Amino acid sequence: MTLVKISHGRRTFIKSSALAGGGMMIGFSWLASCKPTPEQLLTMPKEWFKINGFLKIGENGVVTIMSPNPEIGQNVKTSMPMIVAEELDVDWKYVIVEQAPLDTSIFNRQLAGGSQSIRHGWEGLRMAGATARQMLKEAAAKAWGVPVSEITTEASMIHHKNSGKSAGYGEMASAAANIEVPKEVKLKEISEYKIIGTSRNNVDGQKIVTGKPLFGLDYKKEGMLVAMIVHPPAFGLKLKSFDDATAKAMPGIKDVFKIDVYKEGDETQWCDTISFNELVVVVGSTTWEVMNAKKAITCEWEQIKSKEIEVPFFGKTKKISTPSGLENTDDHLAQMIAASKSSATVVRKDGDPEAAFKKATTILERSYTAPFLAHSTLEPMNFFAHVTAEKAELVGPIQTPEFMEKSASTRLGLPLDKIDIQMTRMGGGFGRRLYGHFLIEAAVISQKMNAPVKLIYTREDDMTTGIYRPAYHATYRAALDENKNLIAFHVKTGGVPESSLSANRFPAGAVDNYLAEEWTVVSNVSVGAFRAPGSNFIAGAEQSFLDELAETMGKDPIDLRLELLEKAKTSPVGKDNDYEAERYAGVLQLIKEKSGWGKDLAGLHRGVAAYFCHNTYVAQIVEIEMKDNAPIIKKVTAAVDCGLVINPVAATNLAEGGIIDGIGHGSYSAITLKDGVPQQNNFNTYRLIRHREAPKEIEVHFVDNKKDPTGLGEPLNPPVIGALANALYKATGKRYYDQPFLVDPKLMG
Amino acid sequence: MATFNLKINGTTKTVDVDPTTPLLWVLRDHLDMVGTKFGCGIASCGACTIHLDDTAMRACVLPISAVGDQKITTIEGLSESGDHPVQKAWLEHDVPQCGYCQAGQIMTAAALLKENANPSDEEIESAMNGNLCRCGTYTRIKAAVKTAAKNM
């Protein structure tokens, strides 16, 4: 048994309180029922007893567990409560899950990003469940006059073996709510788990398949108006003037006006990234009326002036340069190539790479590129706001409620405790909803209209307002001696306007002479985190290069990686290598075994890749068959080390999704610019992967190592692009260096 | 503005709207039926798929004036208690991730199975190709369609 103190981080998050109605109001008739029956579950409890911020128990034994983090499809709304339920020792059948409101006094890190929800929640969620169980046990011990050490629990029941007494959780809930919160609690051993590690279906599944309102766009309130925005058609432009005479006279239209989303001089944060701060807003009664009026507004635009701002960024400051001008994709490519050939910032250097390259007999040098990408969440950006002089009620899909609460407070001039943010289920996030300018826009519009308003982006607005995945470029060089031994490795990478370098990742630590450099190209195109930021490009580039390097060295691509990892394990180079070589090698060994690597499969072409990011190790093999000169992905096999798997069915689903996402963006998607105008603005020109192009089969294997769980939202996505490129090479004899691999972006849009 | 009597999910609803209004927005804004989703507005993503009589249609580009007396079925009316074989198969395979596209996927799949009780893999891919899933649940959707076909 593990003893864990219940104070967690800087907050003491376990609080005990009885809900209105009082903890002592349990009636005798309720006590008669010991174990709640399925029939009882058909009726909700008459009373709830809140044990702590994470859970409340009804008098009939039904338990509500709050899911603290935003749900974007990563299934935390099911898997986080599973962790609480495990330690509470409750029957999952009697659990109801609710989305918790934003409450930083109770919950830590209410954020969806970086694949960290489970990893950071692991300890706190277990303690919340274990604390409540301990309080129930103490309540029972007190009621029965027996020592608490003799009390046991099992599936929502409390037992005292010696006296033969038993009670359901519901019966003790009222008394438990008044028990002093224990200072220490015992956590279960992994071998005792009954819920963690078993597949539990999505708690919102029934609602999703029957079309119940769950998403931000579905939110409605009496008297609510609909708002849409008109924004500049090109990066580098801003509003000069607009004519709203026609629009204002159209049916259902309440008002047309200009807003400044953020106020000049207000302090902003990283999540306040915005492309167009001045917007024309149309407000009306219904969506269709507002959509039509939006088209009837004519605007004059003018070019922006260059500017530089500094924003706080996780304890540091980040400088954001916005140059003037109307930019083009062709120019970006030329600028990136020029930068890749100029001097750059050295981020890590081991040994003497320059000397090693000088004495090399063979140098392999290859460059890789990837375009801007739009997140394209299927639910477009939207938010509900009702701002009055006293308070702001904000409801919708947001990955960063904790941060946006502050931004809203600043912008609206209301104290923090008057900003109420409610999280809805999100129709996808992928990083786009980390940047909550749309929340501020909705709030500013509501404040101006003095009415409840729902702001809706059209797909075109959503796709052409930026916050794209940066455009990237990387050059890799490897030096081999006369015996084809790897003696130096060089990565030089950058992007518009950010680099994707993680200098301390493999193969850093495995090569004596190593150099990692980066550069950037300034741009007025706004960018943001996109599922597995940086990794979503650099992993594919690096893994393609390692494949070509293995070929040049005359080695099997898995063997080369394993040899390098062996060196990193036994005699690592440098200090800050941010991976465990053994776990890295572990997923490669597992995939080798599961896929029967090395066997000749008639008509099938295989590529392999492995990567570590967001605390999880992944190896993948893509199998391609050529049919009528077109590649068909027959199968993808993945080996994943994310520690303990909480919910296997959901983990597998998320892994499959990451694989399809990576293949899709690597193969088909791009945002290109002409004179600052995105050439793709909807799904007829911006290509997302479709049913027919998805792998015919996906097989996911998890390493069973019982380590603390890490995340799965991002790590499957990056390496598969490399595995795909390597399989395409086997299938076609051609190396794929430039994403998207399977379409020409110039022909799109 | 004009008055339309719509046969939706077995009942008749009357709305007074601009005749060009797409069925999607009539459902969502005027009838409070938000199961049918807005994704693209140009019939490219399939999130708004409904049945017009027995045919899968994109509600975002279907003007209300074109509906006439054809029967409209939405996700809310696909089955009385959410137990259509396609819905059950979706739950059995735990298909949804974010879930936003799934109503449209289910409606397309249900229309396919009505027309073709035992579709091949290629026929499933072809029928479902107009429905985007940004989370990448395609392989699970295909498995669920096959399960539903068995149970129809």
Side-chain angles (χ1 to χ4, degrees):
Chain A
M1 292 280 188
T2 323
L3 278 175
V4 178
K5 290 204 188 308
I6 59 131
S7 81
H8 183 244
R10 65 185 195 282
R11 302 181 184 96
T12 302
F13 69 97
I14 308 285
K15 286 178 184 161
S16 170
S17 63
L19 287 191
M24 303 304 288
M25 297 298 287
I26 279 191
F28 185 73
S29 61
W30 304 335
L31 283 168
S33 63
C34 250
K35 190 167 180 168
T37 62
E39 290 73 43
Q40 275 179 290
L41 281 172
L42 296 175
T43 51
M44 288 292 282
K46 296 180 182 70
E47 251 181 317
W48 285 113
F49 303 102
K50 192 172 177 183
I51 310 294
N52 58 46
F54 287 84
L55 59 97
K56 52 189 182 182
I57 301 177
E59 88 289 336
N60 61 354
V62 174
V63 177
T64 293
I65 299 181
M66 308 306 280
S67 180
N69 282 31
E71 174 62 63
I72 54 174
Q74 81 283 46
N75 210 27
V76 287
K77 196 172 169 185
T78 306
S79 46
M80 292 181 98
M82 279 173 69
I83 300 170
V84 178
E86 179 67 69
E87 289 291 347
L88 179 60
D89 215 3
V90 70
D91 192 328
W92 185 247
K93 276 207 296 276
Y94 308 135
V95 171
I96 298 166
V97 176
E98 270 178 29
Q99 178 69 58
L102 175 66
D103 190 341
T104 50
S105 69
I106 299 173
F107 306 109
N108 275 307
R109 199 184 181 277
Q110 289 186 282
L111 168 79
S115 301
Q116 299 297 311
S117 294
I118 293 291
R119 183 167 171 256
H120 282 275
W122 177 235
E123 194 178 78
L125 294 166
R126 283 184 299 158
M127 288 196 295
T131 307
R133 178 163 68 135
Q134 181 62 24
M135 289 159 75
L136 286 161
K137 282 163 77 175
E138 282 179 24
K142 221 168 162 180
W144 299 335
V146 299
V148 70
S149 57
E150 291 176 11
I151 301 274
T152 57
T153 63
E154 193 190 358
S156 301
M157 293 291 296
I158 307 165
H159 303 290
H160 182 247
K161 205 177 163 189
N162 295 347
S163 65
K165 282 185 172 148
S166 283
Y169 278 8
E171 295 167 63
M172 290 297 165
S174 167
N178 293 318
I179 294 282
E180 198 183 328
V181 179
K183 293 208 165 45
E184 279 185 341
V185 289
K186 281 175 186 167
L187 295 179
K188 286 186 181 178
E189 298 293 339
I190 290 174
S191 59
E192 296 174 278
Y193 287 167
K194 296 189 186 80
I195 295 173
I196 291 174
T198 63
S199 287
R200 307 287 166 157
N201 284 2
N202 192 322
V203 292
D204 279 339
Q206 185 70 28
K207 288 180 185 161
I208 290 168
V209 304
T210 52
K212 297 285 182 297
L214 283 170
F215 300 93
L217 216 54
D218 302 341
Y219 190 81
K220 210 164 235 189
K221 202 178 171 182
E222 190 65 32
M224 184 183 85
L225 299 170
V226 173
M228 287 197 172
I229 58 154
V230 179
H231 67 86
F235 295 97
L237 291 183
K238 67 182 177 89
L239 185 67
K240 189 179 176 192
S241 65
F242 65 100
D243 179 354
D244 60 7
T246 312
K248 268 188 167 160
M250 287 171 75
I253 299 308
K254 305 283 182 197
D255 206 351
V256 179
F257 50 88
K258 192 201 101 169
I259 60 165
D260 289 333
V261 183
Y262 292 97
K263 260 194 305 202
E264 187 86 35
D266 273 358
E267 193 184 318
T268 55
Q269 313 173 75
W270 64 272
C271 54
D272 292 318
T273 304
I274 188 167
S275 309
F276 307 110
N277 197 55
E278 288 169 64
L279 302 169
V280 179
V281 173
V282 193
V283 185
S285 307
T286 67
T287 314
W288 184 243
E289 289 167 326
V290 174
M291 259 183 194
N292 285 327
K294 172 172 147 67
K295 289 180 200 146
I297 294 167
T298 50
C299 296
E300 262 194 279
W301 314 103
E302 61 186 345
Q303 290 215 20
I304 59 163
K305 293 195 178 90
S306 301
K307 68 168 183 179
E308 281 202 353
I309 58 162
E310 280 186 354
V311 295
F313 189 78
F314 296 104
K316 295 179 190 160
T317 37
K318 190 175 169 182
K319 199 186 278 178
I320 300 174
S321 297
T322 313
S324 59
L326 302 175
E327 300 175 12
N328 289 285
T329 293
D330 287 347
D331 297 339
H332 286 154
L333 275 171
Q335 285 172 298
M336 289 200 289
I337 290 167
S340 76
K341 291 177 173 157
S342 310
S343 64
T345 309
V346 175
V347 183
R348 173 165 169 162
K349 188 172 170 177
D350 298 323
D352 190 348
E354 289 87 352
F357 273 99
K358 251 181 213 159
K359 69 174 188 194
T361 34
T362 308
I363 292 176
L364 181 69
E365 178 177 328
R366 295 290 182 263
S367 292
Y368 303 82
T369 66
F372 288 121
L373 294 175
H375 295 79
S376 308
T377 61
L378 213 53
E379 179 193 17
M381 296 307 113
N382 67 87
F383 228 84
F384 168 87
H386 190 193
V387 179
T388 62
E390 292 79 38
K391 65 181 171 87
E393 186 192 346
L394 307 166
V395 186
I398 182 77
Q399 288 178 252
T400 47
E402 238 181 279
F403 290 93
M404 291 314 299
E405 187 183 44
K406 291 190 197 79
S407 298
S409 164
T410 305
R411 179 60 180 91
L412 298 171
L414 286 168
L416 215 48
D417 63 353
K418 299 295 176 199
I419 308 288
D420 176 24
I421 298 183
Q422 300 285 331
M423 295 173 266
T424 58
R425 189 176 186 86
M426 282 178 255
F430 314 106
R432 179 60 183 86
R433 290 187 162 103
L434 293 166
Y435 309 95
H437 57 87
F438 45 85
L439 174 154
I440 304 295
E441 289 159 18
V444 171
I445 297 164
S446 171
Q447 197 173 39
K448 160 101 180 160
M449 294 300 295
N450 194 25
V453 170
K454 183 163 69 188
L455 170 71
I456 303 175
Y457 274 34
T458 62
R459 174 57 54 191
E460 290 80 4
D461 292 331
D462 188 280
M463 204 176 277
T464 59
T465 44
I467 318 207
Y468 298 136
R469 194 279 301 270
Y472 290 125
H473 181 286
T475 299
Y476 282 91
R477 292 163 73 222
L480 305 180
D481 66 13
E482 61 281 9
N483 298 319
K484 294 202 170 171
N485 290 314
L486 177 64
I487 54 171
F489 193 92
H490 178 200
V491 53
K492 187 173 182 181
T493 184
V496 184
E498 283 177 9
S499 146
S500 63
L501 182 67
S502 287
N504 296 323
R505 287 190 187 160
F506 180 78
V511 189
D512 291 330
N513 303 296
Y514 173 86
L515 179 62
E517 297 178 276
E518 69 179 355
W519 46 265
T520 56
V521 169
V522 292
S523 168
N524 57 36
V525 180
S526 63
V527 297
F530 184 102
R531 193 176 199 172
S535 307
N536 57 36
F537 163 69
I538 203 76
E542 174 199 294
Q543 292 296 309
S544 295
F545 184 71
L546 285 180
D547 199 70
E548 204 166 344
L549 178 61
E551 189 184 37
T552 309
M553 294 167 75
K555 290 190 176 187
D556 173 85
I558 293 183
D559 290 347
L560 170 65
R561 288 171 175 86
L562 289 173
E563 279 170 28
L564 290 169
L565 287 163
E566 185 59 26
K567 176 165 170 65
K569 192 181 138 190
T570 50
S571 53
V573 181
K575 278 186 208 146
D576 301 317
N577 306 320
D578 70 353
Y579 59 94
E580 287 175 52
E582 196 166 350
R583 292 180 81 178
Y584 215 132
V587 290
L588 276 162
Q589 274 144 357
L590 183 63
I591 198 119
K592 203 172 167 179
E593 174 201 322
K594 295 288 181 188
S595 69
W597 179 254
K599 260 189 274 172
D600 188 27
L601 302 170
L604 287 178
H605 311 280
R606 288 171 144 191
V608 66
Y611 205 65
F612 170 65
C613 61
H614 303 280
N615 313 96
T616 295
Y617 299 82
V618 174
Q620 287 156 329
I621 286 173
V622 169
E623 281 176 24
I624 287 178
E625 180 189 66
M626 293 302 284
K627 202 175 172 187
D628 305 327
N629 282 326
I632 292 170
I633 301 174
K634 296 294 280 187
K635 186 174 176 182
V636 178
T637 310
V640 183
D641 180 354
C642 59
L644 200 67
V645 176
I646 307 297
N647 187 2
V649 66
T652 307
N653 196 353
L654 200 53
E656 292 165 356
I659 288 166
I660 292 173
D661 190 359
I663 290 172
H665 285 101
S667 300
Y668 305 109
S669 312
I671 290 280
T672 56
L673 298 170
K674 202 174 168 192
D675 296 329
V677 179
Q679 298 300 291
Q680 299 75 21
N681 67 9
N682 207 322
F683 298 130
N684 55 344
T685 46
Y686 186 82
R687 284 273 282 107
L688 287 174
I689 190 168
R690 289 181 178 270
H691 275 274
R692 213 181 268 142
E693 296 144 349
K696 306 299 170 201
E697 188 189 350
I698 299 176
E699 202 176 279
V700 183
H701 303 276
F702 292 98
V703 174
D704 182 16
N705 62 8
K706 314 271 193 288
K707 288 184 188 290
D708 281 356
T710 58
L712 277 173
E714 289 160 301
L716 272 290
N717 177 23
V720 78
I721 299 172
L724 173 67
N726 300 339
L728 284 169
Y729 167 66
K730 291 285 183 191
T732 64
K734 188 182 143 217
R735 289 279 176 190
Y736 285 74
Y737 300 108
D738 302 302
Q739 296 179 37
F741 297 142
L742 301 179
V743 290
D744 181 353
K746 288 203 181 101
L747 304 177
M748 298 155 67
Chain B
M1 293 291 182
T3 302
F4 298 93
N5 295 308
L6 304 169
K7 291 183 197 162
I8 301 183
N9 300 336
T11 61
T12 302
K13 306 258 187 190
T14 304
V15 289
D16 185 27
V17 293
D18 171 352
T20 67
T21 311
L23 174 60
L24 171 68
W25 297 112
V26 173
L27 292 170
R28 292 187 61 87
D29 281 359
H30 300 271
L31 297 172
D32 280 348
M33 295 166 73
V34 294
T36 308
K37 300 300 185 207
F38 169 57
C40 69
I42 59 163
S44 277
C45 77
C48 65
T49 306
I50 51 97
H51 297 173
L52 207 54
D53 285 339
D54 285 336
T55 309
M57 300 282 282
R58 310 295 188 221
C60 72
V61 291
L62 182 69
I64 198 67
S65 59
V67 172
D69 62 359
Q70 299 174 89
K71 279 186 301 170
I72 300 161
T73 308
T74 70
I75 187 70
E76 291 94 341
L78 183 64
S79 60
E80 256 179 45
S81 44
D83 56 357
H84 185 281
V86 173
Q87 289 168 316
K88 281 165 78 174
W90 245 247
L91 294 175
E92 187 185 324
H93 289 268
D94 206 32
V95 171
Q97 284 186 33
C98 86
Y100 194 77
C101 74
Q102 299 297 349
Q105 306 274 4
I106 288 168
M107 295 307 283
T108 302
L112 163 71
L113 294 178
K114 203 153 199 181
E115 195 185 288
N116 179 354
N118 189 22
S120 66
D121 281 22
E122 289 71 30
E123 285 167 336
I124 295 172
E125 286 170 18
S126 179
M128 303 299 300
N129 210 47
N131 286 75
L132 287 173
C133 172
R134 177 65 182 82
C135 299
T137 61
Y138 294 134
T139 45
R140 243 158 232 265
I141 287 173
K142 202 200 280 179
V145 173
K146 287 185 194 174
T147 298
K150 268 185 222 145
N151 298 333
M152 290 278 282

